[in-house]
C-alpha cells in the first residue's frame, strides 16, 4: 500500500496487521528545578494498517505530547513505540504530520506551492510540481499555489498543511486537532474532505481531537484518554458505514449512543491534577 | 462540494490581499513624505536665517554650505576623500558582517560553544573598537588595513549577537515541521529552515552594523588617515575652512541617509514575507 495515490482505490482495505504500536508509554516534563508535569501516565494502543483512529481527551491531557512520541519527534520516558515492527527513533520516512498550530508549522517565507513541495527534495522538479499540484487539487486550493500561507485564512492554511502531508504520499497521517481553530461550518467541510482523502489514498490515519462528534464522524475506532496523567480509558468501535455524510451520521441513534458514552467516560475519568 | 463553496466558507476577505497598495495607503504615504520634507525645509530655513544673523563666523548659512558641498562632490574631493571613505566603510561592513554571520550561526547552532565563548565575547564586545586603533596603527601602520579592520570590528558585534539570537530562537514548530518533512539531517535543517527563519533578526543586526561602520569610518579617518571624509572635516577645521567643515558633516549625513535607504530597500525585498506576516498583527 505504499505507492497508491490514484482515486481509483474505492475504499481502504481493512487488515488486522498492526502498523503503529505503543506500549506502556509515559512522559514527564520538568523545567529545571521547577515542578514536573506528568503528562502521559501509561498509554498503550495500536493502529492497524489502513485504520482511521481518533484519540479524544480533555484539553491539556497530553495529546500533542503523545503524538510527538508516536512520531519520533520526542523520546518517551517509559514504554516504547513501534512502527511497522521497528522501534521508532526518528520520524519514519512515510509518516506525515498535520500540526495543531498551522501558523507555526507552515513556513511563512515559502509560497504555498513551495511549502507543499517541502518534503519532496529527493524527487525531480517536474515530479515535485506534479505532486504539489495534485495535493493542492485534493484540498481544493489549486488557485492559491503562489500565495504565501499568511495571505490565507486559517482554514485554508490548515488545508495547505494537509496538502503538504499528502504530497509526501505517506503511509501514515497523524493529525493534531487540525480543525480546532476554524469556524464550525468550515470545520464540517474540512472533516468531510479529510475523511474522503484518507479513504481515497488508503491512509492509516490517527486524528487527535477534543471534539467527540468529530472523532465519531471520522474514525473507525475512538480511543478515549483520561485527564493528565493520561491513560486509555476506553476504546470504542464506530460501526457506521462509509462514505459518511455528516448530517446523516449525526442523526443516527448509534451516533448519539457513542457520543453519550464517550462524554460520560471523559467526564467520569478522575482528574489527577496537581 | 465545489471549490468555490469550500473556499467561500472561510469567509469574505479570507484571502488577505497585500493591503499595502491601494489609493488610501498611497495618499497617506504621500502626505507623510510631504510633512517630513516640509519639516526638513523648515529646519534648513532656520539654519539659513541663523547663519546670516551670526556674527561669530561659527555658523555659515545653509546656502553657503550647500554650495561648498556641491563643490566637494564635483571637485577633487570626490576621488581623494569621498570614494575612499565609502570604499573603506563598505569593505569594513562587508567583512564585519560576514564574520559576524558565520560566527553568529556557529554560536547559535552549537550551543555547546556558548559556555566556552560567553565570557570572552562579553569582554571583547565591551571594548569599544576605536580603543584598538592605536594598537592597530602600531601593527599595520596608518593603512587601509587598519581602518577597514577597525570598521569591521565595530560592525561585527551587532551582527554576531543578533545572528546568534535569531538562530537560537527559531520557532519550535518550524523545527518539528522540518524534522518531519526535511529528512536531510542537520545541514538541511540549517539551510532550509533555521537560516531563513533567522533572517529578520540577522537583517536587524546588519542595519545596526551599517550605522556603526559609518561611525567607525569617521573615527578611523580622523585618527589614522590623510584622506577620507573624516580627515577632510578635520583638515577643514584646522584651516578654519568652516564652510568646508560643515559641508563634510552634511555630506556624511546625506551618505548615511542614502545607505540606510538602500539597505531598507534590500531588506524590504528580502523580507517581504516577514513584513506581510507582521502586517497582519497590526
Ligand atoms: N515542552 C514542554 N515542557 C514542559 N511541559 C510541557 C511541554 N509540552 C507539554 N507540556 C505539558 O504537558 C501537558 C500536556 O501537554 P500537551 O500539549 O500534550 O496537551 P494537549 O492534550 O495536546 O493539550 P491541548 O488539547 O490544549 O492541545 C501540559 O500540562 C503541558 O503544560
Ligand atoms: Mg495539543
Amino acid at each position: 500500500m505504499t505507492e497508491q495515490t490514484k482515486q481509483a482505490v474505492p475504499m481502504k482495505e481493512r487488515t488486522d496487521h498492526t502498523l503503529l504500536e505503543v506500549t506502556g508509554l509515559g512522559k514527564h516534563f520538568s523545567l529545571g528545578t521547577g515542578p514536573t508535569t506528568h503528562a502521559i501516565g501509561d498509554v498503550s494502543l495500536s493502529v492497524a494498517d489502513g485504520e482511521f483512529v481518533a484519540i479524544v481527551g480533555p484539553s491539556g491531557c497530553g495529546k500533542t505530547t503523545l503524538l510527538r512520541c508516536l512520531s519520533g519527534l520526542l523520546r518517551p520516558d517509559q514504554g516504547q513505540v513501534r512502527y511497522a515492527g521497528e522501534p521508532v527513533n526518528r520520524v519514519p520516512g512515510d509518516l506525515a504530520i498535520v500540526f495543531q498550530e498551522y501558523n507555526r508549522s507552515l513556513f511563512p517565507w515559502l509560497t504555498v506551492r513551495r511549502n507543499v513541495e517541502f518534503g519532496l527534495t529527493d524527487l525531480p522538479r517536474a515530479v515535485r510540481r506534479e505532486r504539489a499540484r495534485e495535493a493542492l487539487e485534493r484540498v481544493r486550493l489549486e488557485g492559491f499555489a503562489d500565495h504565501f500561507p499568511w495571505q490565507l485564512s486559517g482554514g485554508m492554511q490548515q488545508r495547505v498543511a494537509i496538502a503538504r502531508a499528502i504530497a509526501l504520499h505517506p503511509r501514515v497521517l497523524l493529525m493534531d486537532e487540525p480543525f480546532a481553530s476554524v469556524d464550525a461550518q468550515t470545520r464540517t467541510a474540512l472533516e468531510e474532505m479529510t475523511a474522503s482523502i484518507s479513504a481515497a489514498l488508503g491512509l492509516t490515519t490517527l486524528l487527535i481531537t477534543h471534539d467527540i462528534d468529530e472523532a465519531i464522524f471520522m474514525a473507525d475506532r475512538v480511543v478515549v484518554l483520561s485527564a493528565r496523567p493520561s491513560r486509555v480509558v476506553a476504546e470504542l468501535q464506530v460501526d457506521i458505514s462509509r462514505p459518511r455524510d455528516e448530517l446523516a451520521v449525526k442523526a443516527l441513534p448509534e451516533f448519539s449512543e457513542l457520543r453519550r458514552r464517550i462524554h460520560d467516560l471523559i467526564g467520569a475519568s478522575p482528574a489527577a491534577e496537581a | 462540494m465545489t471549490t468555490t463553496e469550500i473556499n467561500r466558507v472561510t469567509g469574505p476577505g479570507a484571502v488577505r490581499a497585500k493591503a499595502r497598495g491601494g489609493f488610501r495607503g498611497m495618499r497617506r504615504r504621500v502626505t507623510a513624505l510631504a510633512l517630513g520634507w516640509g519639516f526638513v525645509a523648515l529646519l534648513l530655513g532656520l539654519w539659513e536665517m541663523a547663519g546670516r544673523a551670526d556674527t561669530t563666523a561659527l555658523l555659515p548659512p545653509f546656502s553657503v554650505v550647500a554650495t561648498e558641498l556641491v563643490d566637494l562632490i564635483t571637485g577633487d574631493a570626490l576621488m581623494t576623500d569621498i570614494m575612499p571613505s565609502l570604499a573603506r566603510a563598505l569593505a569594513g561592513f562587508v567583512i564585519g558582517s560576514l564574520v559576524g554571520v558565520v560566527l553568529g550561526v556557529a554560536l547559535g547552532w552549537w550551543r555547546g560553544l556558548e559556555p566556552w565563548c560567553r565570557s570572552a565575547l562579553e569582554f571583547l564586545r565591551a571594548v569599544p573598537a576605536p580603543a584598538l586603533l592605536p594598537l592597530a596603527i602600531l601593527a599595520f601602520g596608518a593603512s587601509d588595513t587598519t581602518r577597514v579592520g577597525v570598521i569591521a570590528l565595530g560592525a561585527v558585534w551587532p551582527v554576531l549577537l543578533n545572528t546568534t539570537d535569531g538562530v537560537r530562537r527559531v520557532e519550535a514548530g518550524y523545527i518539528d515541521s522540518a524534522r518531519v518533512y526535511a529528512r536531510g539531517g542537520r545541514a538541511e535543517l540549517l539551510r532550509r529552515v533555521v537560516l531563513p527563519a533567522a533572517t529578520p533578526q540577522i537583517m536587524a543586526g546588519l542595519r545596526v552594523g551599517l550605522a556603526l561602520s559609518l561611525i567607525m569610518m569617521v573615527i578611523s579617518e580622523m585618527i589614522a588617515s590623510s584622506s577620507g571624509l573624516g580627515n577632510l572635516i578635520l583638515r577643514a577645521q584646522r584651516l578654519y575652512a568652516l564652510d568646508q567643515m560643515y559641508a563634510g558633516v552634511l555630506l556624511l549625513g546625506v551618505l548615511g541617509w542614502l545607505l540606510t535607504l538602500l539597505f531598507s530597500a534590500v531588506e524590504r525585498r528580502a523580507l517581504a514575507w516577514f513584513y506581510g506576516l507582521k502586517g497582519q498583527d497590526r
Side-chain angles (χ1 to χ4, degrees), chain A residues 59-60 62-65 100 176-177 208 210:
Chain A
S59 186
K63 299 183 294 297
T64 299
T65 306
Q100 183 168 6
D176 189 2
E177 306 200 32
I208 285 174
H210 60 237

Side-chain angles (χ1 to χ4, degrees), chain B residues 32-143:
Chain B
L33 216 60
L35 285 177
W37 282 108
F39 188 61
V40 170
L42 180 73
L43 287 179
L44 292 180
L46 284 176
W47 175 3
E48 182 70 26
M49 288 197 302
R52 288 187 192 198
D54 177 46
T55 48
T56 62
L58 267 178
L59 183 67
F62 169 66
S63 53
V64 175
V65 174
T67 315
E68 184 63 36
L69 190 143
V70 172
D71 286 350
L72 274 184
I73 299 175
T74 51
D76 293 343
L78 181 69
M79 294 320 284
T80 57
D81 295 306
I82 301 174
M83 283 306 173
S85 278
L86 276 177
R88 287 167 197 151
L90 289 181
F93 171 62
V94 168
I95 293 171
S97 299
L98 283 177
V99 173
V101 168
V102 170
L103 290 184
V105 168
L107 276 172
W109 190 240
W110 290 293
R111 286 171 199 225
L113 285 179
E114 157 130 32
W116 291 84
C117 303
R118 192 192 188 113
S119 305
L121 279 179
E122 268 173 10
F123 175 74
L124 285 174
R125 171 181 67 172
V127 176
L132 294 175
L133 256 174
L135 173 65
I137 294 172
L138 274 185
F140 305 107
S143 63

Side-chain angles (χ1 to χ4, degrees), chain A residues 22-29 37-44 62 65-66 69-70 74-81 229-231:
Chain A
V22 187
T23 39
L25 194 88
K27 183 75 196 174
H28 288 85
F29 288 108
T37 309
H38 196 177
I40 302 179
D42 180 1
V43 169
S44 298
T65 306
L66 177 61
C69 290
L70 278 177
L74 190 67
R75 194 179 288 280
D77 298 334
Q78 286 115 41
Q80 65 165 324
V81 181
S230 52
R231 53 191 177 74

